[in-house]
Amino acid sequence: MRYQTQKVAYPFFIAALVLFAAQVIFGVVAGAIYVWPNLLSEAMPFHIVRMSHTNLLIVWLLIGFFGATYYLLPEEAETEIYSPNLAYVQLGLFVFAGAAALVGYQFGIHEGREFLEQPLWVKILMTISFLMFLYNGTMTLINGRRTAISVVLMMGLWLAAIFWLFAFYNPANLSLDKMYWWYVIHLWVEGVWGLIMASLLAYLVIKMTGVDREIIEKWLYVIVGLVLFSGLLGTGHHYYWIGLPGYWQPVGSFFSALEVLPLFAMVIFVFYMFWRGSRNHPNKSAILWTLGCAVMAFFGAGVWGFMHTLSFVNYYSHGTQITAAHAHLAFFGAYVMLNLAIFSYALPQLRGKQPYNQVLNMWSFWLMTSGMAFMTFVLTFAGVIQTHMQRVVGQRYMDVQDDLGLFYTMRLGAGVVVAIAVLMYIYAMLGPAREQLPAGAPHLAAGGGVKGHP
């Protein structure tokens, strides 16, 4: 590391991984309730489990983005972080707000709006924390060099904060409520978070390929343009059935279909740059997560999103397990794997080690990715059956659910595999670091000179 204040990212990454583990545990519990519907029905009803699962996802991803920004910004700006102490206060405030919301959910304290269930005072604390982060990052940027990566990253984070403000508006009219609700949900994950994803991928590619920065930045501008062009009006695919004017059906169908393009461009960009650049970077696990992120984001957000985004298809599939299949693979591919790629690259340097525990890290990659892929296929098959039996044949919802028990059991098995893989990843990143063999000294291995150490 060239700058001492990059170490500010370390507690952010640890907090993110701890909350990641908690999120996956709640996900496994939710999957178990699908198999055994009366499980925890009194102690922790399903809607509380699901609420905890989804909110933890958003919180730990944001903390990961904050940490990644603090890690790369000094290198991009060529200056130290403006105020490390402010960053620590911001982290403490954000974690406290998220933890308080999580505890409150268990006692039924929430606002009831999906993904935006946080009580008002928690939303205010999270907003204050977000503003502290934006001030810190923006001042760092102003005091140093401004690159395409740092500017696009901070622009994405600023826009995320701006659209978050719609979470405070809760109109009585249900159509208006859902419209402004999507201003947060869609314009985050399918809009401005795309800017964050593109800039972080560009940073990783620069660091691990050695390809000239100007080439990568040109690709970054193209991807960002495609994200904003398709993602903003692509919000219309959520407006089909909530009472908005009918013109949103063709508009939403057309522009949301175009959302595949930036995701495909990211795949071409990442693989082309690794092919063009050096393939000898020592951190093979970070390379694997980076390549995997682009591929799985394309399939999860792009292909699976396109499968049911057209209005005449969505009329039948809306709200079925097809939606769950798309949501799981899209979030995992685009944002979970992105954070895990950043962690894999940065944590060895933050801990003062060479890349370590790479075999275990890569095993966790294949297990986690395979588990999520299998879960996606299972939910897709369940969704197709549900769509036909419920929306076409006209069977009752609960009767159809009874017929999907086998698929829910397989989904639970996949979730357990993912949970095991997550624990493997956390151990690989935060557990004892195996000492690496010095380059050009393979003779040490035969003599037993390389040992593990904490």
Side-chain angles (χ1 to χ4, degrees):
M1 292 188 305
R2 294 173 56 192
Y3 298 92
Q4 288 299 308
T5 50
Q6 287 180 277
K7 293 180 179 178
V8 167
Y10 189 51
F12 282 83
F13 292 162
I14 292 176
L17 286 173
V18 170
L19 296 178
F20 180 30
Q23 181 236 329
V24 171
I25 291 170
F26 275 105
V28 172
V29 173
I33 294 175
Y34 267 92
V35 178
W36 302 289
N38 291 323
L39 181 68
L40 299 176
S41 59
E42 296 293 334
M44 192 184 300
F46 177 78
H47 72 284
I48 299 296
V49 175
R50 183 183 184 276
M51 189 185 303
S52 304
H53 176 60
T54 55
N55 277 248
L56 279 166
L57 171 68
I58 302 301
V59 168
W60 87 258
L61 289 178
L62 284 171
I63 291 174
F65 292 156
F66 295 156
T69 303
Y70 283 132
Y71 181 81
L72 71 85
L73 203 55
E75 288 189 8
E76 290 293 305
E78 296 183 341
T79 185
E80 300 286 0
I81 291 174
Y82 179 74
S83 175
N85 290 332
L86 186 63
Y88 293 130
V89 173
Q90 174 230 328
L91 173 62
L93 191 62
F94 203 85
V95 170
F96 170 77
L102 182 65
V103 172
Y105 297 158
Q106 316 314 312
F107 295 96
I109 303 172
H110 57 81
E111 292 192 350
R113 300 176 76 199
E114 187 180 13
F115 298 112
L116 303 179
E117 296 95 345
Q118 308 84 15
L120 177 62
W121 69 271
V122 172
K123 286 188 174 79
I124 292 172
L125 287 182
M126 294 176 71
T127 303
I128 293 172
S129 175
F130 218 135
L131 291 174
M132 292 167 67
F133 164 78
L134 291 172
Y135 174 76
N136 212 0
T138 303
M139 290 303 297
T140 304
L141 205 59
I142 290 173
N143 292 337
R145 180 185 67 159
R146 288 174 286 281
T147 66
I149 289 174
S150 58
V151 170
V152 169
L153 176 60
M154 290 305 302
M155 181 173 69
L157 290 161
W158 266 103
L159 288 172
I162 290 171
F163 286 117
W164 161 253
L165 296 178
F166 286 101
F168 290 90
Y169 182 52
N170 189 3
N173 182 288
L174 187 59
S175 292
L176 284 177
D177 168 47
K178 296 305 290 184
M179 186 181 74
Y180 289 113
W181 182 82
W182 283 115
Y183 279 19
V184 182
I185 307 304
H186 175 99
L187 292 179
W188 265 20
V189 301
E190 297 178 63
V192 297
W193 279 24
L195 276 62
I196 299 170
M197 178 185 179
S199 55
L200 292 180
L201 281 178
Y203 172 79
L204 288 170
V205 168
I206 285 177
K207 291 298 180 182
M208 292 189 289
T209 66
V211 174
D212 186 72
R213 175 182 287 270
E214 290 185 4
I215 297 173
I216 292 175
E217 289 182 344
K218 289 177 181 176
W219 273 86
L220 178 60
Y221 288 132
V222 170
I223 293 171
V224 166
L226 289 172
V227 167
L228 294 177
F229 176 73
S230 62
L232 295 179
L233 285 176
T235 312
H237 68 239
H238 299 297
Y239 294 167
Y240 296 157
W241 325 120
I242 64 172
L244 270 69
Y247 58 73
W248 280 111
Q249 292 184 24
V251 171
S253 297
F254 178 76
F255 282 96
S256 62
L258 294 180
E259 290 185 52
V260 178
L261 294 180
L263 295 162
F264 183 68
M266 286 186 194
V267 176
I268 301 299
F269 160 65
V270 171
F271 275 83
Y272 174 68
M273 292 306 163
F274 273 100
W275 172 80
R276 177 169 179 160
S278 169
R279 303 172 193 174
N280 298 319
H281 194 277
N283 199 330
K284 306 300 181 186
S285 57
I287 293 175
L288 186 61
W289 283 106
T290 302
L291 294 172
C293 170
V295 172
M296 299 306 286
F298 169 68
F299 281 103
V303 176
W304 256 258
F306 180 77
M307 281 171 57
H308 70 138
T309 195
L310 302 177
S311 60
F312 48 84
V313 176
N314 190 265
Y315 179 78
Y316 295 96
S317 65
H318 183 80
T320 66
Q321 293 300 321
I322 293 176
T323 302
H326 159 58
H328 277 82
L329 194 60
F331 261 110
F332 175 73
Y335 303 120
V336 172
M337 295 183 80
L338 176 65
N339 268 304
L340 299 185
I342 287 285
F343 300 166
S344 296
Y345 176 78
L347 277 171
Q349 299 181 47
L350 290 169
R351 296 184 65 184
K353 310 287 184 184
Q354 297 181 46
Y356 54 83
N357 291 346
Q358 294 206 66
V359 173
L360 184 60
N361 191 334
M362 289 188 280
W363 267 109
S364 75
F365 169 89
W366 289 112
L367 276 178
M368 206 183 305
T369 304
S370 300
M372 289 302 303
F374 184 77
M375 184 186 302
T376 301
F377 287 126
V378 165
L379 290 174
T380 302
F381 291 133
V384 171
I385 294 172
Q386 181 185 10
T387 299
H388 179 73
M389 299 304 295
Q390 185 180 322
R391 303 284 168 79
V392 179
V393 176
Q395 288 191 9
R396 293 183 300 178
Y397 174 82
M398 289 308 299
D399 290 339
V400 176
Q401 291 298 304
D402 289 339
D403 295 333
L404 301 179
L406 176 61
F407 296 100
Y408 293 150
T409 301
M410 291 191 288
R411 190 260 294 271
L412 175 59
V416 171
V417 171
V418 171
I420 293 171
V422 169
L423 295 177
M424 291 170 59
Y425 180 90
I426 293 174
Y427 183 82
M429 288 290 92
L430 302 181
R434 293 180 62 85
E435 188 174 9
Q436 301 296 298
L437 194 65
H443 60 280
L444 291 177
V450 178
K451 302 178 181 178
H453 67 81

